[in-house]
Amino acid sequence: MIYFIAIAFLITIKNNLLEDGGYRIMGRIIGRDATSIDFLWQLSFFATDLWLLLLGIPLALVILYRFVGERGTTRSVYVLALASTALAFLHMNVLASTGKFLTWDQIAPMLAWARERPSSIFEYVSIRSLCKFAAIVTTIVILYHYRHRSLFVRFDAAFPLAIFFAVTVSAIAACAVLIDQTPRGLYHAPVAARMVTEIFGSDSSASLSKDIVAGRIDYTCEGDSLLTTKKASASSKPNIVLFLMETIPYELYSFGKKKGLPNMEALESKALVAQQHFTTYPFTSYARFSILTGLYPPYRLEKTVKLDRSNPYRSAFSSLVGQGYDFTLFDPVTHRYPVDDWAVRQLGGNVVSTDIESDPLAKDKALLGVLIDRIGASAKSSTPFIYAYLPQLTHGPWLASGASKEALYEEGYRRLKTVDDSLGELVAALERHGVRENTVIVLTADHGLRTRQEAGFLKTVVLNEASYHVPLVIYDPRLAHSIVISRPTSHVDISPTLHCAYGNAHARIESQGSDLASAKPAPRSIRFGGEWYNGSGGIWSNGSFYSYNAQLRMLWKSPVFDFDEGGPLQRLEPEAGILQQLAHANQAQEKLLAEQFDILLARAHEHGRRAPEN
């Protein structure tokens, strides 16, 4: 009885996965629509689950019974039931939120986020879900501890009937598999095995071929920058303010401008405006890493960059620090991921936060005041600066799960309007301290909306434009007019763009991006990571967008960043090169960054600048 309760929970996981796009995708592959889906076809996807849970594991328990007896076997079933129920609960909630299974690399960041915002657990795990989990665990515990009572003994008397049921259902499932012509895929794999392998899966990066690379690292400016005007060249060392908004999709930014964002709109009149700008990863730490370093983040960034050592990466920010700039990042988040502060320190900067325990708006305002005071001090001492400000008011979720897109964007605009007011205060402070005409302002967002809890309209098996497409405005008051870039651009482009326009353009830096303001931009591709949120990654190459779901091993292609979940590519041979890049993108990037670190470290040693241990 205990075991059957647990496996029912596991089967529910598989059913949710299939109901949320699985049947539609697999039906599209064999030319079936929703009206032609029958019970036997659906049952074929559960065949391996039923064979494992109703025949395989019970047979193993029977063998165990021969060695350890009834008491040992009963305890084993009890532990197995509790463990599988807990595992199923975790996966169910991650699946509902992100469309992918939970992995080991997600657990530490999730715990860190829970420490920062304890109440946030109820934003991603519903009270109803917690009550179901508690009820199932309580039932299992009661059945175990009172298993010798007469009522439960009668339940055990039905064991032969349970065996008959298990064998019959498994046989029907076998018939369904024989009749079904659907190609075998990950949707057919047993869900219990997938949950375990996703968490404790092995790393295959060690065997990765060196032929698969994620892009160049050493970067040299590609000619003149459109931002380097004669008027701009005459001024020395312009200040830079990076205004990095939280969770702002481009669609919301456009919606907000129509309703009124006067301070953000004012920047666009003398700015480089990228209309198709994308984040590298819909996760703040990883997006910030790309902005600051010009490099793509691998899935396991913290394990790749060696946080216990100093890293001699060169970017626009470290180059300007070497020219005497004060580089400081103002972050209202009190408890940050280790990689956040590490990346700033490696580039010669500092992090200023707030220790007040309050709501995001109060923290934002408190730190904005600190930033404005620092601007005044730098202006008074004639110290050039790079100051980054990261307001958190717009962090999702904005409304309860299930809110309409219209209501969601109205709330998003209300918050964004407050952020726009903060930008106005910042610009006024630059004016008041006499440095506005010599200050470049970079306005962008770390990422867009990411999960179904944040936005119910998001798709779960492909990449979403609302997660990746974000605004980018590089305001330079010395420009005579705006410069509009319509081609796709990325966060990895921000560092080389600033370097070529305002730094030492003749010096090399590390970057996998390119100068957005180059008069002669070179052909390239752009990558999108997202394995934390829907198990997918993507690329823009040769005028097309691609979305690859590693869990389904399916590839989508579209001329725009909008993929039909039910329409994966049927013939993959023409896209073999793209598929190879996407299938191994993370391992390739991990290998590339690790090797580049060793190269830079050796170079530093040659110049007598041995990288110190932290």
Side-chain angles (χ1 to χ4, degrees), residues 40 174-182:
L40 276 181
C175 294
V177 171
L178 293 174
I179 297 171
D180 180 47
Q181 299 299 314
T182 306

Side-chain angles (χ1 to χ4, degrees), residues 6 83 139 191 242 277 285 325 328 335 364 371 375 418 428 438 464 526 580 589:
T139 301
V191 69
L242 174 60
H277 187 74
S285 295
Y325 276 72
T328 304
H335 304 290
D364 289 352
L371 169 57
I375 289 173
T418 302
N438 193 40
N464 292 270
I526 293 175
Q580 179 81 338
Q589 187 66 6

Side-chain angles (χ1 to χ4, degrees), residues 25-105:
I25 292 171
M26 299 305 293
R28 183 75 170 268
I29 290 174
I30 61 173
R32 289 192 179 193
D33 56 29
T35 59
S36 63
I37 294 177
D38 55 58
F39 173 74
L40 276 181
W41 184 70
Q42 290 178 315
L43 187 62
S44 68
F45 291 97
F46 293 88
T48 54
D49 296 272
L50 296 173
W51 297 336
L52 175 65
L53 298 174
L54 298 182
L55 295 179
I57 293 179
L59 180 60
L61 291 173
V62 170
I63 296 173
L64 181 67
Y65 178 80
R66 297 289 301 273
F67 291 95
V68 301
E70 179 182 355
R71 186 175 183 181
T73 304
T74 303
R75 285 182 175 178
S76 299
V77 171
Y78 177 57
V79 172
L80 179 65
L82 288 177
S84 60
T85 300
L87 191 64
F89 172 74
L90 290 172
H91 279 292
M92 177 180 287
N93 284 279
V94 173
L95 274 167
S97 177
T98 68
K100 71 178 290 291
F101 285 95
L102 178 68
T103 61
W104 184 259
D105 292 315

Side-chain angles (χ1 to χ4, degrees), residues 203-217 289 295-306 311 313 512 527 581 583-600:
D203 177 25
S204 61
S205 61
S207 61
L208 182 68
S209 170
K210 293 183 69 173
D211 297 332
I212 304 172
V213 295
R216 63 189 174 187
I217 287 286
F289 175 82
L295 303 171
Y296 288 107
Y299 175 43
R300 300 173 301 182
L301 176 61
E302 297 86 350
K303 296 182 180 180
T304 305
V305 297
K306 303 175 182 176
N311 195 318
Y313 282 142
Q512 291 172 281
R527 282 187 38 225
Q581 288 186 57
H584 301 286
N586 278 295
Q587 297 98 316
Q589 187 66 6
E590 288 178 6
K591 193 177 185 69
L592 190 68
L593 291 185
E595 290 179 352
Q596 184 67 13
F597 174 83
D598 293 335
I599 292 171
L600 292 173

Side-chain angles (χ1 to χ4, degrees), residues 541-555:
S541 181
N542 297 321
S544 294
F545 290 91
Y546 295 86
S547 178
Y548 174 70
N549 192 308
Q551 294 188 111
L552 305 180
R553 298 181 188 136
M554 292 181 178
L555 181 68

Side-chain angles (χ1 to χ4, degrees), residues 126-145:
S126 68
I127 298 294
R128 182 179 179 182
S129 177
L130 283 172
C131 290
K132 284 183 179 179
F133 175 66
I136 292 173
V137 170
T138 301
T139 301
I140 291 174
V141 171
I142 291 174
L143 287 175
Y144 175 75
H145 286 285

